[in-house]
Amino acid sequence: TAVNDAKAMRDVLTSRYHFDREHLYELYDTDATRAKILNTFRTLAQQVKPEDSLLIFYAGHGNMDTITKAGSWVPVESGLQDASAWISNHDVKNYLNVDAIKAKHILLVSDSCFAGDFFRGYRGNLPVVTDAVIKKAYQLSSRQAITSGGLEPVSDAGFGGNSVFSHFLVSALKDNKKPHLIPSDLFPAVKAGVAQNAEQFPQLGGLYGVGGQEGGEYVFFLKQEGRLQGLAADTQARQAELERLRRMEADAAITKEKEQAEINR
């Protein structure tokens, strides 16, 4: 489901949030080679500015190297037995280092096996999201990751052509009506949905050993029309519920009249 997952993620971000297609890089199927993935990272390092926000989404095979004990992405030209073309999590983090890609915020989303050693996960409860939290999250720099699991294989099966993880991630982004959304606010619904449907446990945390983590978070900015559509959908749902209650009330009145007529008879 990897290609479907990436395209579903692309579509929800560009349709509902402020993501510019001109700044979008996509690698699918035979284009998703080690060389092209790493060259794209190098291009990002050259083009991304210090005040930019960058989101990286990977869907595909992952494997754990039995020798180095490190998780890796497995590009299209490689296999599980030949590690020569793998891209280790260490390789990825080298590019996400604050001295390489100089973005203010980077969010890595990895839907693959053995992705959990990208970061150190959050401990304890996630913060209560308020306007002040959003403002602070955007002001401070961040390097974060959301992974579909920890140090275990993850399910290829899912819903409607998407993996379990991508299904709940995209659904949460579609259903959101908040003008500003941060990963710690998005994550609980994704984790709960995945945990109830697969033997895997998504993780959220700061990328380990790359610098630039000042306690901020990546911020998704909802387009105004997306917010209005969400409000309109809520209004329509309330109106439909009100109409249903009115019909029930009318039916009850008719039934009561019939009962009274029968009693009088």
Side-chain angles (χ1 to χ4, degrees):
T1 65
V3 171
N4 289 343
D5 296 338
K7 290 183 177 180
M9 187 72 171
R10 172 201 64 192
D11 291 344
V12 71
L13 291 177
T14 55
S15 64
R16 301 200 73 230
Y17 298 87
H18 284 281
F19 280 77
D20 190 343
R21 283 183 177 268
E22 294 180 0
H23 297 154
L24 185 67
Y25 292 87
E26 298 175 89
L27 296 172
Y28 299 114
D29 293 326
T30 55
D31 285 333
T33 63
R34 173 183 169 85
K36 288 186 177 181
I37 292 172
L38 294 181
N39 281 337
T40 302
F41 277 125
R42 297 188 70 84
T43 299
L44 291 170
Q46 294 165 354
Q47 294 186 353
V48 172
K49 302 296 188 292
E51 290 302 312
D52 288 340
S53 294
L54 171 65
L55 186 146
I56 298 166
F57 180 84
Y58 174 79
H61 287 299
N63 198 30
M64 177 70 76
D65 192 322
T66 57
I67 296 175
T68 65
K69 311 302 181 185
S72 296
W73 293 351
V74 181
V76 66
E77 79 273 30
S78 185
L80 299 183
Q81 304 305 318
D82 179 13
S84 61
W86 294 356
I87 302 174
S88 72
N89 294 350
H90 179 74
D91 293 334
V92 176
K93 289 198 293 184
N94 278 344
Y95 282 101
L96 305 188
N97 192 289
V98 68
D99 294 324
I101 297 178
K102 298 177 175 60
K104 185 174 185 179
H105 302 286
I106 294 179
L107 176 62
L108 171 67
V109 181
S110 185
D111 187 359
S112 65
C113 301
F114 306 106
D117 66 337
F118 267 121
F119 57 82
R120 287 182 175 173
Y122 284 126
R123 304 297 181 190
N125 295 328
L126 294 172
V128 176
V129 179
T130 62
D131 289 345
V133 169
I134 295 288
K135 184 176 181 180
K136 182 178 179 181
Y138 189 67
Q139 288 175 340
L140 300 177
S141 65
S142 65
R143 295 291 188 275
Q144 293 172 284
I146 300 176
T147 65
S148 56
L151 298 178
E152 77 270 359
V154 298
S155 174
D156 286 330
F159 302 88
N162 293 117
S163 73
V164 176
F165 172 76
S166 289
H167 169 79
F168 284 103
L169 175 62
V170 171
S171 294
L173 290 168
K174 283 182 177 179
D175 294 341
N176 169 56
K177 299 178 184 65
K178 297 179 181 179
H180 310 107
L181 182 67
I182 55 177
S184 59
D185 200 19
L186 170 72
F187 181 70
V190 178
K191 182 178 180 180
V194 173
Q196 290 172 6
N197 289 275
E199 291 294 324
Q200 63 193 74
F201 298 95
Q203 298 189 39
L204 163 69
L207 286 167
Y208 176 63
V210 298
Q213 180 58 274
E214 296 180 347
E217 292 202 50
Y218 190 99
V219 181
F220 295 87
F221 292 91
L222 187 66
K223 291 180 179 178
Q224 180 68 11
E225 56 265 33
R227 186 183 179 193
L228 293 176
Q229 287 171 2
L231 293 174
D234 281 349
T235 301
Q236 290 174 356
R238 285 195 294 269
Q239 289 175 340
E241 179 63 14
L242 183 59
E243 184 61 31
R244 186 181 71 84
L245 292 173
R246 285 171 177 165
R247 287 196 301 268
M248 290 177 62
E249 187 177 12
D251 291 343
I254 292 172
T255 301
K256 185 175 181 180
E257 289 178 2
K258 289 181 178 180
E259 289 175 348
Q260 187 61 48
E262 180 66 19
I263 290 172
N264 293 339
R265 189 184 66 80

